[in-house]
Amino acid sequence: MSTADRLTDALYGLGWSTVKKLPEPAAVRLGRSVADLAWKQRGKGVLRLEANYARVVPDAGPERLAEISRAGMRSYLRYWMESFRLPAWSAERVKTGFDCTDAHLLTEGIASPRGLILALPHMANWDLAGAWVTTKLETPFTTVAERLKPETLYDRFVAYREGLGMEVLPHSGGTAFGTLARRLRDGGLVCLVADRDLSASGVEVDFFGERTRMPAGPALLAQQTGALLMPVTLWYDDSPVMKGQVHPPIEVPETGDRAEKTSVMTQALADVFAKGIADHPEDWHMLQRLWLADLDPAKGPS
């Protein structure tokens, strides 16, 4: 393991071992201070976040974009402070930490024998939403995690999410899709963060007026298993309680081959994500290149 990898792993380990012991007001202040410091340094991640927000809020001038990116970093660090502290939260704190609009769609979907796929963008704290599902709704689910480097950091994230009641499969390796399909055929719940393609097989969609790729997995799983596919969007306000919206299911088109159906369904997901992100841009934590124009090697690094 390289020195940089050891340092990264040690810092995350420090977060989970130390931040979770802080009183909640102290953790909130720490997160805001770290966010403001990172924002002022104008590093690569902050600049990429701001460039992504420029697509979401195209009429925003430099001053407004700076305001949104500062709020975005604060939201992003709130996510991390909550994540470091979630293993120490009581069941009651988890149950009251998320307010979900149209939760009846979720509970009806869970009760359905068809199986249910929830698809989310990188908004607010999807881990908290997951912990709420396993705690308040008493429903376990299966998800997929990107294999992080170093391997010890990936192991920390898997242990953290499994501790919240999730079954976690590695994104790489080729076996995740089959396992997810089996869980759905058994009437289970699958949750996938689905606004950024990590493979070479993503589906091209229009997203805020430009082309990008999003994962085909949610749409393919729905077609192959008959499971319901529901988008979920999340956001923060000034309260300690995260907010969320469960959206109506995305139906499988009646006509077209598998690729055409997948394209239509993934575009429908992208449209729901875009509406949620436009309503709460600062809670979309996309610090990576996303649009195809930015992924063009001729444009150089982000």
Side-chain angles (χ1 to χ4, degrees):
M1 187 189 302
S2 70
T3 300
D5 283 348
R6 281 196 297 271
L7 178 60
T8 299
D9 183 57
L11 288 172
Y12 280 100
L14 182 66
W16 268 298
S17 65
T18 303
V19 173
K20 73 178 179 182
K21 299 175 183 177
L22 293 175
E24 190 157 340
V28 170
R29 289 194 299 270
L30 175 61
R32 180 161 291 202
S33 296
V34 173
D36 288 349
L37 178 61
W39 179 79
K40 288 176 183 175
Q41 291 179 337
R42 309 290 291 163
K44 183 178 179 181
V46 173
L47 294 177
R48 171 49 49 199
L49 183 68
E50 203 163 285
N52 289 339
Y53 287 156
R55 261 74 170 235
V56 176
V57 192
D59 57 346
E63 189 172 320
R64 174 63 180 143
L65 275 179
E67 290 176 358
I68 298 172
S69 68
R70 184 179 187 184
M73 288 304 295
R74 288 183 171 184
S75 175
Y76 184 52
L77 264 295
R78 175 173 171 176
Y79 157 75
W80 279 112
M81 292 298 108
E82 286 179 349
S83 294
F84 287 143
R85 290 174 50 75
L86 259 176
W89 280 17
S90 68
E92 187 61 27
R93 178 70 180 88
V94 172
K95 291 176 182 179
T96 59
F98 180 43
D99 179 18
C100 185
T101 301
D102 290 331
H104 69 280
L105 294 173
L106 174 56
T107 54
E108 289 167 5
I110 289 172
S112 166
R114 293 176 57 184
L116 174 62
I117 306 157
L118 298 180
L120 305 88
H122 284 82
M123 292 187 76
N125 190 340
W126 46 95
D127 288 325
L128 172 54
W132 182 85
V133 168
T134 61
T135 304
K136 185 174 179 65
L137 303 185
E138 299 181 341
T139 302
F141 65 86
T142 305
T143 189
V144 174
E146 179 182 1
R147 274 205 173 274
L148 302 170
K149 297 295 183 180
E151 192 74 14
T152 51
L153 179 58
Y154 171 76
D155 292 341
R156 285 186 190 275
F157 270 95
V158 170
Y160 157 64
R161 288 179 171 135
E162 287 180 341
L164 299 176
M166 311 175 193
E167 179 188 20
V168 183
L169 308 175
H171 181 272
S172 58
T175 61
F177 188 91
T179 302
L180 294 173
R182 285 194 296 275
R183 299 292 182 269
L184 292 167
R185 289 194 186 99
D186 290 338
L189 174 63
V190 165
C191 299
L192 300 171
V193 180
D195 59 341
R196 180 169 174 252
D197 180 47
L198 297 175
S199 71
S201 58
V203 178
E204 279 200 25
V205 294
D206 287 312
F207 195 55
F208 291 104
E210 293 191 43
R211 302 294 282 178
T212 188
R213 281 189 293 267
M214 291 189 179
L220 288 172
L221 283 167
Q223 291 175 65
Q224 186 163 317
T225 68
L228 295 162
L229 172 58
M230 287 184 190
V232 179
T233 50
L234 309 171
W235 66 92
Y236 291 127
D237 57 18
D238 293 331
S239 78
V241 179
M242 183 178 72
K243 304 300 190 293
Q245 170 79 52
V246 181
H247 301 269
I250 290 174
E251 302 293 340
V252 177
E254 294 183 1
T255 60
D257 60 23
R258 187 171 72 165
E260 290 168 339
K261 292 178 180 179
T262 301
S263 178
V264 170
M265 295 174 72
T266 307
Q267 182 64 62
L269 263 185
D271 292 342
V272 176
F273 291 169
K275 176 63 167 61
I277 292 166
D279 288 343
H280 306 279
E282 67 280 359
D283 293 317
W284 186 45
H285 306 151
M286 187 56 65
L287 282 75
Q288 298 83 22
R289 291 181 290 179
L290 183 73
W291 280 273
L292 299 186
D294 294 333
L295 296 172
D296 182 355
K299 287 186 172 291
S302 61

